[in-house]
Amino acid sequence: MFSRRIPPQLEPNALSRAVAALRTRGAAIADLTDSNPTRAGIPYADDLLAPLADAAALRYEPHPFGLPAARAAVAADHARRGALVDPAHVVLTASTSEAYGWLFKLLCDAGDSVLVPRPSYPLFEHLTALEGVRARPYDLVWDGRWTVDVASMMAAPAGTRAVLVVSPNNPTGSYLSAEDLAATVELCRERGWALVVDEVFADYPLETRDPLTDIAARADVLAFSLAGLSKTAGLPQLKLAWMVVGGPAGARDRALAALELIADSYLSVATPVQVAAAHLLRAGGAVRGAIQQRIRHNLDALRAAARGFPACEVLRTEGGWSAVVRVPATRREEQLVLDLLAREAVLAHPGYFFDFPREAYLVVSLLPPPALFADACARLLRFVSG
Ligand SMILES: Cc1ncc(COP(=O)(O)O)c(C=O)c1O
């Protein structure tokens, strides 16, 4: 009855079932998977959302790419990181996920492929399948830092239309290095691929200096940088994201013309959030600062705690909202997280959710309140060290 874009199995996995069973019994779970900043005790000014009630939003002026003032505010915000962005190259969307959907419609016919990093963000599986597109992995390899295995990118099948990069990546935290960007751009040029860079966590550097950001604004192949209020201002509920389109002028402008048709068919971004965009981007700086402080504090606490457990290694976390801990592979990761939940009431993501190349890795969110985070990490490290 339903299309093959929908996975045949929709049942929750064993970990979700175990969490639901514990919650039904009223058990308190220390959730190290929660990456929702609005539930993490991050301070938000009471009047932060007041501009959503601006009377200017009573008027509906549909613009496929968004209201000019909102696009100008997004372009101006990029100057914070030293990038020069023309508002004419900014396309507003309701979410980064929607931006992916529009880009797959723009670049791919049904059955075409896009390259996606591995390990990375598990939603790619659905975002591609829902557009009738195949996700083909290329590998990130760990040798003290995560780098692109260019040979695995070169092995892309015919019918590949784009390469997706997440920088910093979720969950490895790795920013795309200048060398990996050069190799990726070279392949894009040779093979006619577009470059799609998810930079939703670009504002959250941790263990790095001078990370590369705003890649579409600097690329000389057709490129798209994706970001949004969800991460940059800790406001996922407002549903405002954007892409910056860059690259050689001819290709960029043809892409914009085609994207305009797609955007005009949806007109999905609500007017109040566009009217409020300039204010939200400015005032969101305080939320971003609080999140930055939180993730830095929690990463330091995790590193300090891990010093007492030499069998565990906290991998270098260049940026983003999560940390990866290599733990002894005493049992399969799935069993490990189920046992950790059952014995310690601590919930962590297993590495296989993100397609890590081998076991055992656990992924923890750096957002939870510090006391909960420190206690849960101490229990996790003790438990996995046996
Ligand atoms: C790498 C990455 N991209 C995109 C998103 C989703 O962003 P949005 O809320 O704008 O759809 C997430 C959410 O966690 C993410 O981890």
Side-chain angles (χ1 to χ4, degrees):
M1 175 188 253
F2 301 127
S3 81
R4 282 193 293 276
R5 292 163 193 237
I6 307 297
Q9 301 294 333
L10 291 172
E11 291 78 40
N13 61 32
L15 186 57
S16 306
R17 288 199 303 273
V19 170
L22 275 176
R23 292 209 163 119
T24 306
R25 278 190 264 137
I29 297 172
D31 189 351
L32 292 178
T33 68
D34 200 349
S35 59
N36 178 347
T38 68
R39 287 198 300 230
I42 299 290
Y44 290 84
D46 284 345
D47 61 353
L48 181 61
L49 302 188
L52 290 173
D54 191 317
L58 288 170
R59 195 180 166 81
Y60 183 41
E61 296 275 7
H63 289 271
F65 289 159
L67 291 175
R71 295 167 71 200
V74 168
D77 189 59
H78 281 69
R80 255 187 321 108
R81 293 186 303 256
L84 250 179
V85 170
D86 183 336
H89 306 153
V90 173
V91 176
L92 304 186
T93 60
S95 66
T96 314
S97 292
E98 184 176 65
Y100 279 118
W102 290 8
L103 288 176
F104 298 153
K105 291 184 213 303
L106 172 73
L107 299 167
C108 301
D109 287 312
D112 281 347
S113 299
V114 296
L115 288 175
V116 301
R118 175 175 67 186
S120 192
Y121 184 42
L123 201 62
F124 285 141
E125 183 189 337
H126 298 311
L127 292 176
T128 49
L130 290 172
E131 298 295 338
V133 171
R134 290 170 199 222
R136 308 281 190 164
Y138 66 91
D139 292 315
L140 304 180
V141 288
W142 170 253
D143 55 6
R145 67 178 305 267
W146 294 94
T147 54
V148 172
D149 175 22
V150 178
S152 68
M153 247 185 203
M154 292 173 78
T160 297
R161 314 296 309 166
V163 55
L164 275 47
V165 169
V166 185
S167 181
N169 188 27
N170 173 9
T172 63
S174 43
Y175 282 87
L176 189 69
S177 69
E179 305 77 66
D180 285 344
L181 173 61
T184 307
V185 163
E186 193 49 43
L187 273 175
C188 287
R189 207 185 337 264
E190 261 177 48
R191 310 230 180 152
W193 301 338
L195 175 60
V196 177
V197 192
D198 180 330
E199 302 194 49
V200 296
F201 292 112
D203 282 315
Y204 298 96
L206 288 164
E207 296 170 329
T208 186
R209 258 181 289 150
D210 298 328
L212 266 184
T213 62
D214 305 285
I215 288 169
R218 309 172 202 275
D220 58 1
V221 293
L222 178 62
F224 306 85
S225 280
L226 277 43
L229 285 186
S230 159
K231 306 295 185 289
T232 195
L235 293 168
Q237 71 276 44
L238 293 195
K239 309 313 289 180
L240 178 64
W242 52 85
M243 54 181 129
V244 173
V245 186
R252 180 199 62 212
D253 292 345
R254 283 192 298 279
L256 281 163
L259 270 172
E260 187 165 346
L261 175 89
I262 299 170
D264 199 24
S265 304
Y266 288 87
L267 295 171
S268 56
V269 189
T271 299
V273 76
Q274 297 188 57
V275 168
H279 166 88
L280 293 168
L281 283 162
R282 241 185 349 265
V287 181
R288 180 165 58 246
I291 294 176
Q292 181 73 49
Q293 227 178 1
R294 170 70 58 82
I295 60 177
R296 162 69 60 193
H297 176 95
N298 280 346
L299 180 60
D300 289 349
L302 175 61
R303 285 213 173 279
R307 275 187 219 113
F309 298 92
C312 298
E313 182 191 7
V314 180
L315 303 195
R316 176 171 161 186
T317 306
E318 291 183 347
W321 290 4
S322 52
V324 178
V325 189
R326 196 178 48 73
V327 301
T330 51
R331 63 202 101 172
R332 300 306 307 267
E333 277 174 357
E334 181 175 44
Q335 198 56 51
L336 187 64
V337 291
L338 286 170
D339 292 348
L340 177 65
L341 183 65
R343 308 268 170 76
E344 299 289 339
V346 171
L347 177 61
H349 275 314
Y352 77 85
F353 271 21
F354 305 88
D355 258 344
F356 275 72
R358 64 185 67 84
E359 300 203 352
Y361 294 94
L362 296 181
V363 174
V364 298
S365 165
L366 293 172
L367 279 190
L372 179 154
F373 181 83
D375 178 62
C377 285
R379 278 152 51 204
L380 177 154
L381 291 164
R382 207 176 319 114
F383 181 78
V384 299
S385 299

